Amino acid sequence: MDLSLLNSEQAKAVLHKEGPLLVLAAAGTGKTRVITYRIARLIEEGVPPGKILAVTFTNKAAEEMRQRIESLAPGRASAVWVHTFHGFCAKLLRQHYEAAKVSRYFTIYDQSDQKRLISDAMKECGFEREAAKASMYASIISRAKDDLLDAGSYAIYASTSIDPSRKIAAQIYSVYQKKIESAGGVDFGDLLLKVCSLLKEHPSIREYYQDYFLHVLVDEYQDTNHAQYIITKTLAAKHKNLCVVGDDDQSVYSWRGADIRNILEFERDFKETGVVTLEQNYRSTKPILEAAGRIINNNGRRKSKTLWTQRQGGAAVRVQELIDEREEASWVVQKIEEGKKSGHPLSSFAIFYRTNAQSRSFEEALRRAGVPYRLIGAMRFYQRQEIKDALAYARILLNPRDEISLLRVVNVPPRGIGKTSLERLKAFANARGLNASESFRDADKIDNLTPSCRKSLAELNHFFDKLRADLPNLSAWQAMARILDESRYLSWLEEESETDIEAASRLANVQELLSSVKEYEERRQARGSPLSLGEYLEEISLQTDRETTDTAADSITLMTIHLAKGLEYPIVFLTGLEEGLFPIGSGNSSKEELEEERRLCYVGMTRAKEMLYLTHTSARRVFGQTYSNIPSRFVMEAQLSGELSTERTRDYTATSAPVVPAQRLGTNLRIGARVRHPLFGVGEVLEKSGSGETAKALVRFENGRSTKLVLRYTPLEII
DNA sequence: CCCTGCTAGTTTTTT
DNA sequence: ACTAGCAGGG
C-alpha cells in the first residue's frame, strides 16, 4: 500500500497498531481516506477482512467506504462488515431473532408509520384531542429508546418526574410498544435498543461478537447516541481495537439523540487512547477556512482545532443582502449563470439552506432560467404515498401480522371496505386479543359486514395467500410486478391517470419503483445470488433516499445543510443567513442549541472548495406572511470585509430581539392609521387581528400591494 | 360509503 | 400559502 499519499498525521492514524484510537478529523482533512487506508492496512497485515466492522451513519457513506476499500484492497472489500448502525442492528436481529424476541420477518417501521401507530395508541389512551402532538410523543419515545429506556424503564423515570406530560408519554409509549410488537414491527430506535438488550442478556452471543470482531471502526463518531455508544463499547470490549473518527465541530444531530459527550469524553472512557488530530485541509481556499474558523471559534465547548491549508490565494467569501427570497433566488441563479459562462460546469454549484421550505424559491428561479437542478431530500422517494402503498403490500406478504401496512392498503384501490367495516374488523380482533391482520382472514365470521365487503375481504385474502405460496419461487422484481398487477393497484392508477394528473405522476413513480427493483436485482445478480423480496425490503427500509443514478445530466444541487455534511462542491451558496432562520428559532433557544446551529453553519461553509457566497434577505415570507429579518449573527462572526452590506455595523446581539415591541405598536395601532414600512413604503392599516405576540395588521401600501404583517416582527412606524 | 368544504398544521434538521 | 385529514351531507 502506498502511504506516500498521506501526511504524517494521517499516516499515524493508519499505522496505529493495537488499542483505542481517536481521530479528530476537522472538515476536509481526509477522514474517509484515513479510515479506508486503515482498513486496507489491517487487511494487508493479515487481519481477515470478515473480522473488521466499520460503521457509518448513512447508506451513502457505507457504499462509498466499501468502494474505496475495494480499490485499495481489490477483491477483499466485500467481506468487511461495512454497515450503518441501523443496518448492522437489523442484520443481528434477523440472525438472532429468537434470542432477541422479535418476529423472524419483522417489518422496519419508519417515522411516518411510527407516527400513525402513536396516534392510534393516543386514541386508545383517550388523548384524542391531543392528536396533533403525535410527533412530539414520537420524538419523546424515540429519544427514550436512544437512551436505552424501554417502556417499563421510562414509566419508572416518568413517575419521579414533576412534569405531568412525562406520565402521559409513558402511557402512550407502553401502548405503542405493545402495538408495534403485536404487528411484528420494530422502529429505528428498537433496532438499537433490542440489539443492546440482546448483547446484554445473552452472554454467549455477546462474547461471540466480542471475540469475532478484531477491529471496530466508527465514522462520524460525534453523531452517536447513547445506544450506539453502548453497542460500540460492548463490541470492542475484548480486543479494545476501537478506532473512532469524527469532529466535534460537525456534531449537528443532537435533536436526533446524538450525544456530543461521546466524542468529547472518548479519552476518558477508553484508557490509553491514541489521539490523532487532523487539521490540514485539502479542500478549501484560505479565505473560506478562515471565515469558517472565525465562526466556530465562538463555540465554547469544543476540542480546539485550527484548519490550515498549504493552498495560496483564493477569492474572498462574499456576503450579499437581498430584498426577499425571490430576489435571493434570482441573484443566486444569476451568479450561477455567470459562473457557467466562465467555464464552470453546473455540477460544481450547490445551494444550501436551513429548511426544506426554502428550496421553493430557488426551484422557481432555476426553472424560469432553464437551469437543470437536482433537489436532494425534500420529498423522499420512499416516503411518497404511492411508494409506501406498493411496499405495504410487499410487507404484508412477508409479515402477515403487519397491521399498519394492511390498514394502509386494504381499501387502496377502493374495494368498498370503509371505516365502519374496519371498525368491525378491529372490534372482532380485539375481542380475541388479536390485531386486525391476524383476524383478517376470518372475515366470514365477522358480524354485520355487508356482503360486498365480505367478498372484497375474501378476495384480498385469496390474493395474499396465492402470492405467499408463490413467493419462494419469485425474485423481488417478479414479486413486486405481480403484487402491483394482482392487487389491481397499477390498473387503478392507470384509470385514475386519465383524469387526474397527480395520479399520473404517482403511476410514473410506481413504475420507477419497479425499475429500481430491477436495478437492485441486476446489481445483486452480478454478485451471483438472486434477490428475494425480503432482502429487497430490508435494504430499502433503511434507505431514506434512492441514490440518484442519473448523475449524467449536468445540473446544480439543492439541499439542506444537514444533507450536505460529508460532501464538497467548488462553488457553494449558503443562503437564508438571518436571525430566526439560521440560527433557527433564535430568542428562546439555549446556548447548546445556538452552538449546534453554529456548527451547522461551519459544516455548510467548509463544503466549499473555491468560492463561498453567503446570502441573507431583509424580508421573507413564512407561512404566507412577510417577516422582516436582520442578518444572522454568523455573518458578523465571519468578520468579512469589503463587500459586506450596511447591516454590518449593527449590534446583532442587541437587536436579535423583535424589531418592534409588539405591545407598544399593537395597542397604539388603529385601523386607518398611516404607517411606514422600510421596504414597502407608506400604507394604511385596513384590519387588525390577533393580540399580544400574534397581533397582525392588514396593510395596504401605496404601491397597491396589501400584506398581513405580524407586528412583532415587522418594523412598522406610525406616521 | 364517497364526496366536498373546512380546519389546523406546516417549515428544523433524518437513520 | 398550501395541503392533508376530517366532519357532515348525499
Side-chain angles (χ1 to χ4, degrees):
Chain A
M1 199 176 58
D2 186 7
L3 292 178
S4 69
L5 292 169
L6 304 175
N7 66 36
S8 65
E9 290 304 297
Q10 291 174 331
K12 202 171 138 195
V14 168
L15 299 173
H16 175 89
K17 295 274 180 205
E18 305 271 293
L21 173 67
L22 167 65
V23 181
L24 283 167
T29 56
K31 169 178 74 97
T32 313
R33 165 169 295 192
V34 163
I35 217 166
T36 49
Y37 268 69
R38 180 164 170 80
I39 291 172
R41 176 75 182 185
L42 291 171
I43 295 173
E44 211 169 72
E45 282 174 352
V47 178
K51 296 202 154 202
I52 300 171
L53 170 64
V55 194
T56 63
F57 271 82
T58 65
N59 294 292
K60 202 169 165 190
E63 187 52 37
E64 191 192 338
M65 190 175 293
R66 188 178 288 288
Q67 274 171 21
R68 288 177 67 166
I69 300 169
E70 176 64 33
S71 72
L72 292 171
R76 317 190 60 176
S78 59
V80 179
W81 292 54
V82 186
H83 289 286
T84 63
F85 264 109
H86 291 86
F88 173 73
C89 290
K91 187 170 171 165
L92 244 56
L93 290 182
R94 293 248 187 250
Q95 187 74 244
H96 304 282
Y97 66 95
E98 274 179 334
K101 288 178 280 220
V102 293
S103 151
R104 182 168 189 180
Y105 302 101
F106 64 82
T107 308
I108 299 171
Y109 285 146
D110 69 14
Q111 82 271 35
S112 75
D113 303 319
Q114 184 187 35
K115 226 176 109 180
R116 248 171 215 248
L117 211 50
I118 285 175
S119 309
D120 285 356
M122 286 171 69
K123 271 181 209 151
E124 222 172 282
C125 299
F127 299 117
E128 250 156 327
R129 295 182 337 126
E130 301 196 42
K133 292 187 181 163
S135 353
M136 181 187 91
Y137 289 111
S139 124
I140 290 178
I141 292 170
S142 297
R143 291 299 77 74
K145 288 182 178 181
D146 289 339
D147 281 335
L148 297 179
L149 294 169
D150 61 18
S153 320
Y154 189 82
I156 294 169
Y157 154 75
S159 66
T160 63
S161 170
I162 46 158
D163 183 351
S165 74
R166 297 283 155 85
K167 294 193 178 85
I168 297 175
Q171 202 184 338
I172 295 169
Y173 186 175
S174 149
V175 174
Y176 164 75
Q177 201 57 30
K178 264 184 214 131
K179 279 181 167 290
I180 195 168
E181 277 169 18
S182 121
V186 299
D187 60 26
F188 288 139
D190 283 333
L191 287 170
L192 306 172
L193 176 64
K194 284 178 189 290
V195 162
C196 283
S197 345
L198 175 73
L199 295 174
K200 190 176 170 199
E201 285 156 24
H202 297 269
S204 61
I205 296 174
R206 178 177 67 237
E207 282 159 22
Y208 172 80
Y209 286 106
Q210 286 176 334
D211 237 29
Y212 186 84
F213 291 120
L214 298 178
H215 283 268
V216 178
L217 301 96
V218 183
D219 194 12
E220 305 277 13
Y221 189 70
Q222 76 281 356
D223 289 331
T224 48
N225 61 34
H226 182 65
Q228 290 162 332
Y229 166 76
I230 294 295
I231 293 170
T232 308
K233 195 174 170 174
T234 307
L235 289 174
K238 175 151 186 226
H239 301 298
K240 305 217 165 23
N241 294 324
L242 173 61
C243 166
V244 303
V245 184
D247 180 3
D248 49 309
D249 287 337
Q250 294 185 66
S251 161
V252 291
Y253 284 109
S254 70
W255 50 273
R256 213 174 69 189
D259 189 347
I260 194 169
R261 281 179 307 183
N262 290 345
I263 192 161
L264 293 176
E265 294 171 10
F266 186 83
E267 291 162 80
R268 204 165 75 198
D269 288 337
F270 298 89
K271 298 286 164 243
E272 290 168 43
T273 291
V275 181
V276 174
T277 308
L278 305 178
E279 295 179 298
Q280 183 178 1
N281 178 290
Y282 294 94
R283 180 184 294 152
S284 314
T285 63
K286 219 174 225 167
I288 294 171
L289 295 181
E290 284 172 354
R294 283 192 293 265
I295 291 181
I296 200 67
N297 260 326
N298 290 285
N299 272 7
R301 202 166 162 232
R302 57 188 289 254
K303 299 217 171 207
S304 190
K305 293 184 254 43
T306 308
L307 281 173
W308 62 277
T309 179
Q310 282 180 342
R311 275 177 81 170
Q312 293 302 313
V317 176
R318 177 163 174 187
V319 180
Q320 181 68 42
E321 177 176 23
L322 287 310
I323 306 238
D324 57 20
E325 71 276 6
R326 269 180 71 99
E327 293 292 319
E328 182 184 43
S330 40
W331 187 83
V332 167
V333 172
Q334 188 198 325
K335 285 287 154 210
I336 290 172
E337 287 181 315
E338 284 171 23
K340 197 190 170 198
K341 276 196 197 106
S342 57
H344 295 279
L346 290 180
S347 59
S348 45
F349 299 91
I351 303 174
F352 299 156
Y353 34 80
R354 180 64 181 83
T355 68
N356 273 312
Q358 287 165 259
S359 73
R360 222 183 92 184
S361 50
F362 292 109
E363 284 187 82
E364 280 169 8
L366 289 162
R367 226 171 301 156
R368 233 180 300 136
V371 178
Y373 64 90
R374 268 182 342 138
L375 181 74
I376 314 284
M379 192 46 189
R380 296 176 139 46
F381 188 72
Y382 292 112
Q383 282 177 18
R384 290 179 195 180
Q385 185 182 271
E386 59 276 17
I387 302 304
K388 295 208 74 172
D389 287 346
L391 295 175
Y393 278 110
R395 287 166 156 199
I396 299 164
L397 286 184
L398 291 156
N399 173 15
R401 280 160 58 199
D402 187 344
E403 190 187 31
I404 289 274
S405 301
L406 179 71
L407 295 178
R408 178 175 190 104
V409 295
V410 71
N411 204 29
V412 185
R415 298 187 174 92
I417 307 166
K419 217 173 164 183
T420 330
S421 310
L422 284 179
E423 284 309 317
R424 288 185 183 139
L425 176 64
K426 278 191 197 168
F428 177 86
N430 267 342
R432 283 159 184 75
L434 302 169
N435 76 34
S437 290
E438 289 165 307
S439 49
F440 171 60
R441 58 178 53 257
D442 297 321
D444 52 325
K445 297 193 190 90
I446 304 171
D447 297 327
N448 296 328
L449 289 183
T450 63
S452 74
C453 174
R454 212 178 284 271
K455 189 167 161 252
S456 289
L457 285 173
E459 273 171 17
L460 203 55
N461 237 319
H462 178 66
F463 155 71
F464 284 133
D465 283 343
K466 192 171 57 157
L467 263 177
R468 261 187 214 124
D470 292 348
L471 207 54
N473 305 316
L474 299 175
S475 74
W477 181 79
Q478 288 169 324
M480 273 317 286
R482 280 192 56 187
I483 287 170
L484 292 170
D485 177 38
E486 291 170 31
S487 65
R488 306 201 40 78
Y489 189 79
L490 215 50
S491 54
W492 171 67
L493 274 186
E494 275 163 8
E495 267 169 48
E496 294 281 299
S497 299
E498 283 168 25
T499 52
D500 181 354
I501 7 166
E502 276 186 28
S505 109
R506 293 209 306 256
L507 177 66
N509 282 331
V510 174
Q511 278 157 345
E512 199 165 330
L513 174 75
L514 267 177
S515 52
S516 107
V517 181
K518 191 87 192 158
E519 241 171 70
Y520 267 97
E521 201 165 291
E522 277 161 6
R523 220 181 314 156
R524 175 65 86 82
Q525 229 126 37
R527 284 196 253 150
S529 59
L531 179 76
S532 74
L533 187 64
E535 289 167 318
Y536 171 72
L537 278 192
E538 179 90 47
E539 280 212 38
I540 59 151
S541 42
L542 290 169
Q543 193 112 51
T544 36
D545 213 348
R546 204 177 32 139
E547 65 254 58
T548 31
T549 38
D550 54 328
T551 37
D554 189 31
S555 54
I556 76 147
T557 305
L558 274 73
M559 63 176 118
T560 63
I561 309 163
H562 279 87
L563 285 178
K565 193 155 73 115
L567 306 177
E568 58 177 35
Y569 293 89
I571 301 159
V572 165
F573 297 88
L574 192 54
T575 67
L577 277 150
E578 295 136 40
E579 283 295 305
L581 181 63
F582 193 19
I584 207 158
S586 62
N588 48 359
S589 39
S590 66
K591 183 163 173 273
E592 282 70 30
E593 287 168 326
L594 178 65
E595 294 207 343
E596 180 143 324
E597 292 294 305
R598 193 175 278 116
R599 290 193 291 269
L600 193 56
C601 183
Y602 172 81
V603 167
M605 293 174 80
T606 52
R607 302 306 97 196
K609 293 164 84 167
E610 312 292 337
M611 184 68 215
L612 174 62
Y613 295 93
L614 310 177
T615 63
H616 60 95
T617 67
S618 37
R620 184 179 291 275
R621 271 174 105 77
V622 183
F623 292 142
Q625 269 166 19
T626 303
Y627 292 80
S628 131
N629 287 328
I630 61 167
S632 167
R633 67 193 75 196
F634 302 148
V635 173
M636 180 198 69
E637 290 170 1
Q639 295 170 29
L640 302 166
S641 51
E643 307 179 60
L644 199 59
S645 51
T646 49
E647 263 79 359
R648 185 173 167 238
T649 49
R650 277 200 203 174
D651 177 358
Y652 294 99
T653 37
T655 51
S656 61
V659 181
V660 174
Q663 308 83 309
R664 217 184 61 208
L665 195 53
T667 47
N668 287 353
L669 200 65
R670 299 257 158 76
I671 290 176
R674 305 264 300 157
V675 292
R676 181 183 287 120
H677 185 281
L679 225 65
F680 307 137
V682 176
E684 186 190 352
V685 177
L686 297 182
E687 282 172 23
K688 278 173 68 178
S689 55
S691 63
E693 296 209 335
T694 60
K696 301 172 195 86
L698 179 68
V699 181
R700 187 176 59 215
F701 291 98
E702 283 177 346
N703 62 10
R705 190 168 159 185
S706 296
T707 318
K708 209 174 210 183
L709 300 157
V710 177
L711 297 174
R712 180 172 150 82
Y713 296 108
T714 313
L716 276 187
E717 189 190 337
I718 302 175
I719 52 173

